[in-house]
């Protein structure tokens, strides 16, 4: 099944955007040309391109030997360890499709991904940040009708160690994937009750990675610090780890993004670029201003995932002694960058312009009528690396895409005369908690199941550190004893949702403000937060 209309695919090939190569082709190339160059460094390991390439091949062979087939899905929940890329590339080479879960996900998310994607396998660490992922895997297995086989990086407990999946010798893949095939399923921050899966193919993703590497001027001397979770679209592809592998550079994996760890790694590993979300950038800036870190190798700090204020933007370059780049992207596709040639004002006050000359950007009013530059409107986009639909979600797709295939991003933007975009807000029902997206409906659905809750509305409230935090406005059932806010938070946690989705605040109200047509007015709720 093709992910793009044939006419569009042919155009992207003719333009040279889609090359027919697989996403990991560069790893194989570098392994042949410069086998001993280091590809990836984590807390305890250092793998050359030859080693990464060989491990990926052995893992692909191992997956097929276990009976997995091209097109089968697996859920990948690994933190920033070198094995993340062994499994990711190994799966891609076998044509097995990883679902890119985050380490912060818990029973609700992982269980849903496994069930919805009919996953054959689940990859987890033993423990990460004090949490035992083997226990999570056991709960997921107990809940589903077709439990995935669990592979563990580290102490396997009752499950299979990753080492057992590595074939002793790599064998050629009999039925290799094609560049237009589904390569992996990326996650959407979402605005609906259940998270959406984003089907990306080799052609579209590789184009975004390759073009990003060019825009960011990556070379074989680039050293990228991956401080955000490796599975996230920003550090994976903008240009991220895949961009660095494409250029033949080195990826340094930070076990956590704290200033001490990250700035220490930048100094020790002579990191040249990294990408972070705004609150993290500011925490690093404070630590750099206070501490004695040698950050002289750092050339570029990328900031994206949530809006960076002009005031914060002004601080970052001087504090970290490097150039700033704003990145406004989405796992569905479109990515915007400020460029090295942009003037200072543009870098400080816009979220960049699209990667590709063939990215189509429309800014429209509520009736989908195009607006002139400078006007605030809904951002719609279509292009050589923006999906045409979520995976297995026809009803949702009818709402999220126009009839002619533009993705409705849910972002409210202005376009400048130079084609740069300024993100001014959001129309989608989501909280952007410092780059971590929370779908209001997902949290509302959980709270509605609480016996004392009659109705609930989860909205974003401004926060000086994260930009936004979440607040749940709750109407109680008439006879209910008023639960304490911590009890409702614990209820969300107990339902198995990731910690970042637990409402930061809970407020009890008698009624919700309503819009003219009787819908809850989240705008008025947000305004009442104070
Ligand atoms: P997702 O669809 O989950 O990949 O999240 C992408 C969304 O993150 C975008 O649609 C924006 O709402 C938000 N976003 C990403 N980068 C930026 C940025 N630089 N400024 C403002 N919002 C951003
Ligand atoms: O927030 C995002 O999803 C994001 C931000 C910057 C992204 O997907 C990207 C760059 O590619």
């Amino acid at each position: 099944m093709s992910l793009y209309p044939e006419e569009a695919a042919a155009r992207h090939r003719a333009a040279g955007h889609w090359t027919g190569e697989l996403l990991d082709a560069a790893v194989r190339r570098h392994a042949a040309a410069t086998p001993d160059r280091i590809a990836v460094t984590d807390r305890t390991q250092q793998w050359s391109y030859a080693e990464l390439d060989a491990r990926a091949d052995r893992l692909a062979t191992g997956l097929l030997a276990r009976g997995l087939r091209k097109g089968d899905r697996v859920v990948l929940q690994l933190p920033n360890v070198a094995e993340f890329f062994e499994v990711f590339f190994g799966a891609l080479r076998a044509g097995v499709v990883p679902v890119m879960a985050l380490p912060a996900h818990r029973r609700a998310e992982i269980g849903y991904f496994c069930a919805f994607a009919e996953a054959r396998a689940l990859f987890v660490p033993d423990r990460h940040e004090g949490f035992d992922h083997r226990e999570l895997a056991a709960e997921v297995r107990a809940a589903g009708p077709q439990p995935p086989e669990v592979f563990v990086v580290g102490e396997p407990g009752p499950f299979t160690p990753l080492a057992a999946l590595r074939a002793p010798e790599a064998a050629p893949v009999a039925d290799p994937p094609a560049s237009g095939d589904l390569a992996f399923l990326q996650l959407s921050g979402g605005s609906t009750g259940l998270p959406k899966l984003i089907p990306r193919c080799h052609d579209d993703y590789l184009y975004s990675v390759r073009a990003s590497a060019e825009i960011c001027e990556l070379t074989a001397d680039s050293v990228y610090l991956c401080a955000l979770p490796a599975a996230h679209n920003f550090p994976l592809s903008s240009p991220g780890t895949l961009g660095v592998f494409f250029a033949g550079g080195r990826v340094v994996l930070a076990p956590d993004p704290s200033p001490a760890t990250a700035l220490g790694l930048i100094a020790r590993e002579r990191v040249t670029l990294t990408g972070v979300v705004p609150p993290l950038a500011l925490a690093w800036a404070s630590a750099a201003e206070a501490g004695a870190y040698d950050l002289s190798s750092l050339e570029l700090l990328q900031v994206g995932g949530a809006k960076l204020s002009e005031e914060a933007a002004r601080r970052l370059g001087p504090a970290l002694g490097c150039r700033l780049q704003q990145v406004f992207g989405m796992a569905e596709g479109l990515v915007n960058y400020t460029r090295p040639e942009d003037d200072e004002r543009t870098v400080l006050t816009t979220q960049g312009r699209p990667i590709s000359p063939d990215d189509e950007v429309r800014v429209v009013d509520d009736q989908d009528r195009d607006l002139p530059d400078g006007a605030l409107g809904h951002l719609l986009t279509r292009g050589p690396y923006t999906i045409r639909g979520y995976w297995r979600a026809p009803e949702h797709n009818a709402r999220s895409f126009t009839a002619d295939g533009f993705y409705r991003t849910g972002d409210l933007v202005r376009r400048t005369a130079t084609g740069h975009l300024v993100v001014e807000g959001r129309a989608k029902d989501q909280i952007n908690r410092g780059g971590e997206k929370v779908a209001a409906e997902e949290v509302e659905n959980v709270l509605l199941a609480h016996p004392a809750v009659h109705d609930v509305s989860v909205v974003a409230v401004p926060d000086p550190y994260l930009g936004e935090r979440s607040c749940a406005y709750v109407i109680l059932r008439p006879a209910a004893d008023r639960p304490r806010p911590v009890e409702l938070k614990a209820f969300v946690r107990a339902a198995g949702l990731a910690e970042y989705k637990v409402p930061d605040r809970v407020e009890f109200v008698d009624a919700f403000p309503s819009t003219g047509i009787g819908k809850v007015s989240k705008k008025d709720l947000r305004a009442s937060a104070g």
Side-chain angles (χ1 to χ4, degrees):
M1 186 206 65
S2 175
L3 297 176
Y4 287 78
E6 190 40 50
E7 161 278 322
R11 225 172 347 103
H12 303 325
R13 278 187 221 108
H17 300 329
W18 291 10
T19 59
E21 266 195 334
L22 300 186
L23 204 41
D24 59 291
V27 171
R28 199 172 299 296
R29 257 196 321 270
H30 298 310
T34 53
D36 298 330
R37 274 192 83 100
I38 300 302
V40 56
T41 304
D42 73 8
R43 203 162 55 81
T44 59
Q45 313 171 82
Q46 178 118 285
W47 295 353
S48 66
Y49 273 95
E51 175 153 14
L52 176 58
D53 186 56
R55 281 176 178 265
D57 275 343
R58 287 175 55 197
L59 203 96
T61 303
L63 283 168
L64 296 170
R66 290 244 165 194
L68 275 86
R69 289 290 164 264
K70 184 161 91 173
D72 284 350
R73 275 82 54 196
V74 298
V75 172
L76 179 56
Q77 190 193 32
L78 290 179
N80 292 1
V81 292
E83 289 86 351
F84 176 95
F85 297 103
E86 177 182 7
V87 176
F88 181 64
F89 291 134
L92 294 193
R93 286 179 181 187
V96 166
V97 175
V99 180
M100 309 300 274
L102 297 171
H105 287 143
R106 291 295 177 258
R107 197 181 70 240
E109 293 92 0
I110 301 296
Y112 174 73
F113 299 145
C114 286
F116 183 62
E118 302 164 294
R120 299 278 314 272
L122 167 61
F123 293 86
V124 292
D126 47 7
R127 299 180 66 83
H128 179 65
E129 299 201 331
F131 181 80
D132 194 324
H133 287 260
R134 295 160 301 191
E135 287 175 12
L136 169 63
E139 290 178 50
V140 166
R141 272 181 60 86
Q146 290 169 310
E149 179 162 13
V150 177
F151 296 98
V152 182
V153 174
E155 284 299 315
F159 301 117
T160 314
L162 184 67
L165 188 57
R166 293 179 186 125
E169 299 260 345
V173 174
D175 180 21
S179 63
D181 288 351
L182 173 62
F184 62 97
L185 289 161
Q186 189 51 283
L187 303 187
S188 162
S191 55
T192 51
L194 294 168
K196 293 286 170 291
L197 301 185
I198 296 171
R200 303 294 304 247
C201 68
H202 295 267
D203 279 321
D204 71 15
Y205 214 65
L206 181 56
Y207 172 49
S208 81
V209 164
R210 193 180 70 240
S212 295
E214 280 163 21
I215 289 166
C216 299
E217 304 178 325
L218 298 192
T219 70
D221 293 324
S222 297
V223 181
Y224 176 79
L225 182 73
C226 179
L228 297 173
H232 190 280
N233 202 62
F234 179 17
L236 189 65
S237 69
S238 298
T241 57
L242 296 185
V244 171
F245 291 140
F246 176 80
R250 181 161 69 102
V251 166
V252 175
L253 294 169
D256 71 81
S258 67
T261 301
L263 298 186
L265 280 171
I266 292 172
R268 196 172 77 227
E269 303 289 343
R270 306 295 296 163
V271 166
T272 63
L273 81 156
T274 183
V276 290
V277 291
L280 209 48
L282 289 169
W284 289 10
S286 297
E289 283 159 352
Y293 295 99
D294 172 10
L295 305 180
S296 57
S297 60
L298 192 65
E299 296 164 7
L300 180 66
L301 177 75
Q302 307 181 282
V303 182
K307 175 82 180 233
L308 181 66
S309 71
E310 181 178 346
E311 186 194 357
R314 278 191 192 284
R315 220 184 115 195
L316 294 176
L320 294 161
C322 66
R323 186 162 70 78
L324 169 71
Q325 177 183 56
Q326 295 212 40
V327 189
F328 163 40
M330 51 206 76
E332 288 82 355
L334 183 72
V335 180
N336 303 272
Y337 296 102
T338 58
R339 306 293 209 273
E341 64 271 20
D342 286 340
D343 60 32
E344 190 190 11
R345 213 184 142 62
T346 303
V347 174
L348 294 177
T349 62
T350 80
Q351 280 64 60
R353 63 183 172 81
I355 288 179
S356 175
D358 292 327
D359 279 318
E360 297 174 79
V361 164
R362 293 178 61 199
V363 180
V364 303
D365 67 11
D366 290 342
Q367 279 76 47
D368 283 354
R369 289 176 301 218
D370 288 284
L371 295 169
D373 286 349
L376 180 67
H378 302 276
L379 171 64
L380 312 186
T381 186
R382 186 172 73 173
Y385 59 97
T386 295
I387 58 162
R388 295 303 186 100
Y390 292 100
W391 194 67
R392 298 189 177 172
E395 278 173 37
H396 186 66
N397 286 340
R399 287 193 297 276
S400 294
F401 294 82
T402 64
D404 54 355
F406 279 80
Y407 169 52
R408 298 183 187 276
T409 66
D411 292 313
L412 297 173
V413 305
R414 279 186 300 112
R415 182 171 40 198
T416 70
T418 52
H420 289 77
L421 299 176
V422 180
V423 181
E424 300 281 13
R426 201 170 48 234
K428 56 190 164 193
D429 197 7
Q430 185 182 76
I431 298 100
N432 190 336
R433 217 172 155 278
E436 287 184 314
K437 282 78 172 190
V438 181
E441 190 183 331
E442 187 180 13
V443 183
E444 288 164 1
N445 285 345
V446 169
L447 283 169
L448 280 172
H450 189 283
V453 173
H454 168 68
D455 203 357
V456 56
S457 188
V458 175
V459 301
V461 294
D463 180 79
Y465 176 61
L466 287 179
E468 297 176 9
R469 280 185 197 268
S470 59
C471 179
Y473 285 90
V474 174
I475 301 175
L476 293 173
R477 286 186 190 283
D481 284 336
R482 171 183 285 229
R484 286 178 301 141
V486 287
E487 291 169 45
L488 290 183
K489 293 183 191 184
F491 187 76
V492 175
R493 218 170 272 127
L497 257 58
E499 186 65 29
Y500 68 87
K501 297 179 183 173
V502 174
D504 293 294
R505 257 172 68 188
V506 176
E507 298 282 343
F508 297 103
V509 291
D510 295 329
F512 298 139
S514 70
T515 62
I517 50 166
K519 277 185 19 175
V520 175
S521 169
K522 292 209 166 185
K523 192 161 136 247
D524 291 332
L525 266 182
R526 280 193 292 270
S528 75

